[in-house]
Structure formats: C-alpha cells, structure tokens
Amino acid sequence: MALIELKVPDIGGSENVDIIDVNVKVGDSVAVDDTLITLETDKATMDVPAEQAGVVKEIKVAVGDKISEGGVIVVIEVAAAAESTSAVTAAQTEAAPKTEAAPIPAAANFSGAAEAEYDVVVLGGGPGGYSAAFAAADQGLKTAIIERYATLGGVCLNVGCIPSKALLHNAAVMDEVKHLAANGIKFAEPEIDIDMLRGYKEKVIGKLTTGLAGMAKARKVDVIRGNAQFISANHFEVTETTGTGKDETANKKVVAFKNAIIAAGSRVTQLPFIPQDPRIVDSTGALELKAVPEKMLIIGGGIIGLEMGTVYSTLGARLDVVEMMDGLMQGADRDLVKVWQKMNEYRFDNIMLNTKTVGVEAKEDGIYVTFEGAKAPTEPQRYDLVLVAAGRQPNGLLIGADKAGVAVTERGFINVDKTQRTNVPHIYAIGDIVGQPMLAHKAVHEGHVAAENCAGHKAFFDARVIPGVAYTDPEVAWVGVTEEIAKRDGIKITKSVFPWAASGRAIANGRDEGFTKLIFDAETGLIIGGGIVGTHAGDMIGEICLAIEMGCDAEDIGKTIHPHPTLGESIGMAAEVALGVCTDLPPMRKK
Ligand code: FAD
C-alpha cells in the first residue's frame, strides 16, 4: 500500500479555477475515472476524474477554493499493483511532449443561416475523423465529415501508413527472395516496372478509400467536400474544393453543429533553408515513386524516413542518412535498434549521427548538401534525391479555431482533457492535432472516446500504453516502459529476453536475428513494457499491449499456451525466462 496525491491535470491553461463541487469524502473508494471535483471556468464546467483507483485518505480542497493545473485534490491509498500501473502511465505521458500553454480566445458570433445542422460535425476525414464520425453515427447521432480532399482516409490511407506498407511489402518480398539463394532457390535479378508498382500502391489505396466511402454511406454520414474554417462556436464555413486535390471553388456554405470533433491532422515540417526542386521530396513525394535514384539522402533518422529508405534501397538506391540525435529510430531501446542496424548496414554509405543539415543547393547535376557536426563530411555531398523526413506539425492554427474560442498552442496543437474535450466543452479534438505520438491507432482510439462523449456517455482516454512500430526489415516494435525510460525515471525493473536464435519458427524462416524482451516492475512483478525486433514484430506487439492493459505478470503470460511453432510464442518464452523455467534455452537458475 502507498499514499499517492491525485492532482489537477492539464485544464487547457486555465489558472485559479473555481471548485464548485467536491464529489468524494474521506474513506470513499474511488475507481479510475470517478469524478473527484467539478471545476468552473468562465467558459466551461468540467469534472476532474481520478487517474488512479484507491481509498481517499485526505481531501485537500473545498468548494469555493481556487485551483490550477498540478494542484493536489486528494491523497489516496493505492494497492501495489496500482502503483506499477502509474509507472506505465507516467512513463507514457513522459514520453510525449508536455502540453504547452495556449491562450483562450473569445469566440466570434454568427447569426446568419446555416444550410444544414448536425449533432456532430467532424473536421477532417483521416483515421481519427472517420472513426469518430462512424462511431457517432452508430450512436444514432446525425453526423457529417468535412474533408477537403476527394477521398476519406487522411494522411494514413492516402499518403502515409497504407501506401508505405504497400511498397514495403513488395520490398520485403524482394529481399526475402534474395535470402532464398542461400537455401538453394535462386531467382533471376528482378525486373522492376515502377509504373506497375506505383499502380499496385494506388490500387491498395483505392480499395480502402472506396470502402470508407461505402461505410460512410451505409451509416448515413454526410461527407461534405471542402475546406472548413470555424466562424463561431457552433458553425463552420466550408469552401468547396474540387478535383483530386484541395483547389477551392467560389462556392461557400455554412454548416451548424451541436458538437464538433476537430480531426484536422498534421502536415510535413518544412525546413526553411531547403529550396523547391522536384529532386527534394517529403514523404508524400517519396511515395509518388517517380523514379529510383542512384544516391539518396534521408534527412531525419525516424521511422518514416527509414521505412521509405528501405523501399528505395531495395529498389536499387544507395542511402545516406543524417540525424541530429545520437541514434536512429529514437524512442525504441538501443538493443532493438542495434539488430535492425546490423541487418541494414549494407543499404547505407553513410550514417551521420549527431549531425545537422545546414545547406542545400540544387544544381543541374544533383542536389548538394552541406552538413555540420560529429559525422559531417568536409565537402558538400551530391544526391539524386533528398527525402526530408524531419517531423510533422499539427494543423491547429489553420482552421480558424479562435473563432470558436478554442485555444491553440503556438506550435498548433490543441490541448484536450481525458474526454478529448478542448477548452470549449462541446468541441473535441483528436489525432495528430492533439499531440504525440502522431499515430493512426492513437487517433482512432481518441475518435471513439470523443464520439461516445458527444452521445452523452462518459468516456475517457485511459489507455495505459500506445505501441510504436517501425515497419522496416526486420521490424522494430515497442510499448510502455522501455529500458531507456526506466533508467531516466528511476523505475526499478527486471527484464527477460528470449533470443530468436532459439525459436524453431524463426530458424525455419531463416530469420533468427531478432529477440523478444519483456519488462516487469521489479516490485510488483507486473509487466510494464516490452520490445520485439524481428520479422512481424509489429503484428505481435499487441499481445504485450494487452498484457499491460490487463495487469499481467510473467506467470499469466508464460502459462498461456501459445501456438507452436510461431514467432508469437517468443512472448510466452520470454515470460518463462523471467520465471526461470524456459525449457527452450540452456538450463537457467530458478528464480
Ligand atoms: P490526418 O490523417 O492527418 O487527417 C486529417 C484530415 O483532415 C486530412 O484528410 C485533411 O485533408 C483534413 N483537413 C485538415 N484541415 C482541413 C480543413 N480545414 N478542412 C477540411 N479538411 C481538412 N501511423 C501509424 O499508426 N502507423 C503507420 O504505419 C504510419 N505510417 C505513416 C507513414 C507516413 C509516410 C506518414 C506521413 C504518416 C504515417 N503514420 C503512421 C501517421 C498517421 O498517418 C497519422 O498519425 C494519422 O493519419 C493521423 O490521423 P488524423 O486523423 O489525426 O489526421
């Protein structure tokens, strides 16, 4: 048992807010998400839920007090298991950038007529937006999505997750076929028809986006084509767009809403010193796959850059990568990344860590790039293609949010509470626009929470962990507390590793370079994190996510019968390693 202070979370930058109700008393048992106190700002009334379950031992506030973010509400006694849960949550929260202060603007008035009115209007048709809209419609709400492009799906389906994976799949098969030569199966050198490959990618996108359009229709969700701007706290003005892009026509209409869900996503971060040139592309340009360059530079050694680099390298390009930090694929533990790096070294001529790009010049014979830092070559380097993958920035400042009274940070993020509400109670925000990690599965989860709240239910974003995956070859996947986070935050952990060199399936596949690692809270024995490097790691990490959410220990995982022979059983075996009972490895000292 331990005493823990429950504090006021981020409340959109409001300070000295009135407490109008205290909903608990000493001795009460509170569950996660039970309301502790109710606050009232000049804009909204909001319940502050308990982030942890426990028994209330002391109440630090009273009705009529004023409180700000970080103010202590109650002291609760929690069981040991709950303490470890908070280590996971704390680590996850720590991993994301802190929410920044955002001034609250005064909303504009609009007294004109609207062409249509909805219970819920979702701004943006990406994975967050369409999931929210479909969930709202499933709750019986009259719902519309406003999207400026011709298809639903947003970045993920059109120029992100899906097209990149369609190309990566082809690259992975090409690489695998090469490996077969060592087993006595030789194929001739591949002939690459880049137009057909691009066509395949487009077909995949088309299938999914057409499916989404059908699902919207089946749910009677109106899809309004155009560029939306708030004009009040209850109205959007939509300027019609046309063609496949976002070219505007002169047609405008006003759409009214009872609730709005902002799902306007993010865009590529532009580096100011980079000139316009068709040989310099962002991820969207790289996915267009116009040609395979001889020599390619990737600016930014994160997941997006490395995934695209994998595709181009398998198709024949030589790669350089430049990264300001001291390692590629930040966020993942170094032992996982090391395995990927060893397997992929052959793709790179130069991996420039702790190095910055300081100049880019477009010349007739190529793009010349100058670097500064630990691994910077002395002379500018020439490239046929430069991929700028230096991050993405949220679209919060581009939607007229101030007209609705919605606060947006200087960088364009919109702060939300655990119900996904912005500082304006009937306006929610989800996905990339609310913060890191900018991942589709996070956006979808948030979308569902927002939709349920629009329907009058009490829903919270209370997922303990959000997994990250690099779909490189091998794949690298991780979730929850990493060893790096544990070290940084002084979380006491034990770890267990099952090397794939002992996995029958990995050996049979000829891909036994990987390993599966589980991370446990040293005191409670509960799983709080994990990482996998190897083929299909991304498909397997979900089991570790579930184990964390369910509060499993090594025995729960190790005594779950996993099918044999699979890569997935490496998770069960890693748990057996933790218990000292793994019979697929040499004898271990029993713990
Ligand atoms: P978005 O997908 O950005 O959608 C926002 C939508 O809003 C867009 O369609 C936009 O046109 C529309 N919009 C914006 N402003 C307006 C306006 N004013 N009026 C009308 N419409 C507007 N994530 C993963 O989880 N897994 C992956 O493998 C993965 N791979 C990726 C690969 C690449 C190359 C990239 C770039 C991203 C990848 N991501 C991946 C990230 C993922 O795509 C995003 O996290 C996800 O798309 C965010 O969803 P969203 O709904 O918040 O916003």
Side-chain angles (χ1 to χ4, degrees):
M1 295 287 193
L3 293 177
I4 282 186
E5 291 179 337
L6 296 186
K7 299 177 181 174
V8 176
D10 171 25
I11 45 174
S14 301
E15 300 227 325
N16 294 323
V17 178
D18 289 323
I19 299 176
I20 58 164
D21 204 0
V22 176
N23 307 61
V24 290
K25 54 185 188 316
V26 171
D28 279 1
S29 288
V30 288
V32 173
D33 296 336
D34 279 357
T35 300
L36 296 175
I37 54 173
T38 307
L39 304 177
E40 188 174 63
T41 65
D42 50 350
K43 299 258 171 242
T45 303
M46 64 184 104
D47 291 339
V48 178
E51 290 190 340
Q52 282 196 55
V55 177
V56 178
K57 290 287 163 190
E58 197 182 343
I59 297 182
K60 298 275 196 184
V61 293
V63 171
D65 286 357
K66 290 185 184 298
I67 199 161
S68 304
E69 180 180 343
V72 179
I73 306 167
V74 290
V75 178
I76 59 165
E77 191 173 57
V78 295
E83 283 170 63
S84 102
T85 300
S86 82
V88 178
T89 313
Q92 187 69 54
T93 313
E94 276 297 304
K98 297 264 176 292
T99 50
E100 304 153 16
I104 296 180
N109 284 322
F110 175 78
S111 52
E115 233 170 80
E117 181 173 356
Y118 295 89
D119 295 324
V120 182
V121 175
V122 182
L123 169 50
Y130 74 71
S131 304
F134 293 179
D138 288 346
Q139 297 276 353
L141 300 174
K142 188 182 173 200
T143 307
I145 301 176
I146 308 175
E147 170 55 53
R148 58 191 173 180
Y149 285 105
T151 53
L152 293 178
V155 169
C156 181
L157 260 70
N158 292 289
V159 289
C161 329
I162 297 300
S164 60
K165 270 78 231 175
L167 295 179
L168 276 162
H169 166 71
N170 283 277
V173 173
M174 282 173 70
D175 287 335
E176 184 146 12
V177 157
K178 267 191 223 153
H179 291 144
L180 291 185
N183 307 346
I185 301 170
K186 291 186 187 155
F187 292 87
E189 274 302 299
E191 275 175 39
I192 299 164
D193 184 326
I194 199 138
D195 296 330
M196 278 183 77
L197 180 56
R198 196 182 319 108
Y200 168 74
K201 179 206 68 171
E202 296 301 335
K203 211 166 95 189
V204 170
I205 297 171
K207 198 167 179 176
L208 284 164
T209 53
T210 310
L212 280 183
M215 287 207 281
K217 209 167 164 191
R219 287 182 162 86
K220 301 192 171 36
V221 170
D222 287 345
V223 179
I224 301 170
R225 174 82 194 273
N227 198 347
Q229 297 283 305
F230 283 101
I231 50 171
S232 84
N234 289 94
H235 297 88
F236 282 115
E237 181 181 75
V238 186
T239 308
E240 186 189 54
T241 47
T242 184
T244 53
K246 49 182 181 170
D247 292 341
E248 293 187 350
T249 72
N251 297 335
K252 289 184 193 292
K253 67 175 164 194
V254 171
V255 177
F257 56 83
K258 291 190 185 116
N259 298 280
I261 301 177
I262 304 172
S266 63
R267 62 192 186 280
V268 169
T269 301
Q270 304 290 346
L271 300 179
F273 54 86
I274 295 196
Q276 294 282 327
D277 188 286
R279 295 162 296 178
I280 303 171
V281 293
D282 57 21
S283 56
T284 303
L287 284 166
E288 281 172 16
L289 202 65
K290 289 197 173 132
V292 179
E294 260 176 48
K295 183 95 181 121
M296 174 176 180
L297 171 69
I298 306 164
I299 299 180
I303 294 178
I304 291 177
L306 296 176
E307 286 184 359
M308 290 315 305
T310 303
V311 171
Y312 276 89
S313 142
T314 299
L315 294 177
R318 296 295 309 159
L319 304 179
D320 279 3
V321 59
V322 56
E323 166 60 51
M324 289 204 318
M325 308 289 282
D326 58 1
L328 300 176
M329 233 184 257
Q330 289 290 323
D333 271 336
R334 293 303 91 190
D335 54 351
L336 301 168
V337 179
K338 208 164 141 192
V339 173
W340 166 81
Q341 201 157 326
K342 194 165 166 226
M343 289 283 293
N344 282 270
E345 249 152 22
Y346 75 95
R347 299 182 191 272
F348 295 90
D349 289 331
N350 202 355
I351 296 177
M352 296 173 269
L353 300 177
N354 295 309
T355 303
K356 277 199 302 196
T357 308
V358 290
V360 179
E361 200 183 344
K363 293 187 181 174
E364 208 176 297
D365 66 333
I367 305 293
Y368 284 76
V369 184
T370 316
F371 305 97
E372 222 174 68
K375 298 280 177 184
T378 45
E379 295 298 312
Q381 301 292 296
R382 193 198 70 80
Y383 297 98
D384 302 301
L385 185 73
V386 173
L387 164 62
V388 184
R392 299 182 63 83
Q393 67 188 103
N395 287 333
L397 293 167
L398 308 179
I399 54 172
D402 56 321
K403 300 280 192 311
V406 172
V408 182
T409 72
E410 215 172 300
R411 289 196 296 161
F413 284 112
I414 296 177
N415 295 335
V416 289
D417 64 14
K418 287 193 165 214
T419 66
Q420 301 301 136
R421 280 188 175 86
T422 66
N423 59 301
V424 179
H426 65 281
I427 302 183
Y428 300 76
I430 59 170
D432 284 5
I433 209 163
V434 303
Q436 301 286 355
M438 289 189 179
L439 291 170
H441 40 274
K442 186 201 69 138
V444 169
H445 197 88
E446 290 171 340
H448 291 163
V449 170
E452 280 198 46
N453 283 311
C454 289
H457 305 301
K458 267 198 162 188
F460 298 90
F461 187 93
D462 53 8
R464 290 179 182 169
V465 289
I466 302 166
V469 181
Y471 297 88
T472 44
D473 183 24
E475 293 182 354
V476 181
W478 65 99
V479 65
V481 175
T482 60
E483 284 189 74
E484 280 180 20
I485 290 176
K487 199 167 154 197
R488 187 195 65 194
D489 294 356
I491 302 169
K492 290 199 187 87
I493 58 163
T494 57
K495 70 165 176 174
S496 65
V497 172
F498 183 80
W500 287 18
S503 153
R505 186 57 188 270
I507 294 170
N509 289 353
R511 294 297 302 269
D512 62 356
E513 73 278 359
F515 66 85
T516 299
K517 172 169 74 171
L518 301 181
I519 294 179
F520 299 92
D521 183 301
E523 280 161 28
T524 64
L526 299 185
I527 184 164
I528 54 173
I532 307 175
V533 54
T535 52
H536 305 291
D539 289 320
M540 289 188 284
I541 199 75
E543 180 181 344
I544 304 182
C545 302
L546 181 66
I548 296 171
E549 293 286 349
M550 300 298 290
C552 294
D553 61 13
E555 209 152 326
D556 296 322
I557 304 166
K559 294 211 160 134
T560 299
I561 298 178
H562 290 75
H564 174 77
T566 59
L567 299 172
E569 70 186 330
S570 69
I571 297 172
M573 287 170 180
E576 289 176 349
V577 170
L579 297 167
V581 298
C582 184
T583 49
D584 283 67
L585 288 174
M588 310 169 65
R589 201 159 52 85
K590 201 162 180 173
K591 291 186 182 162

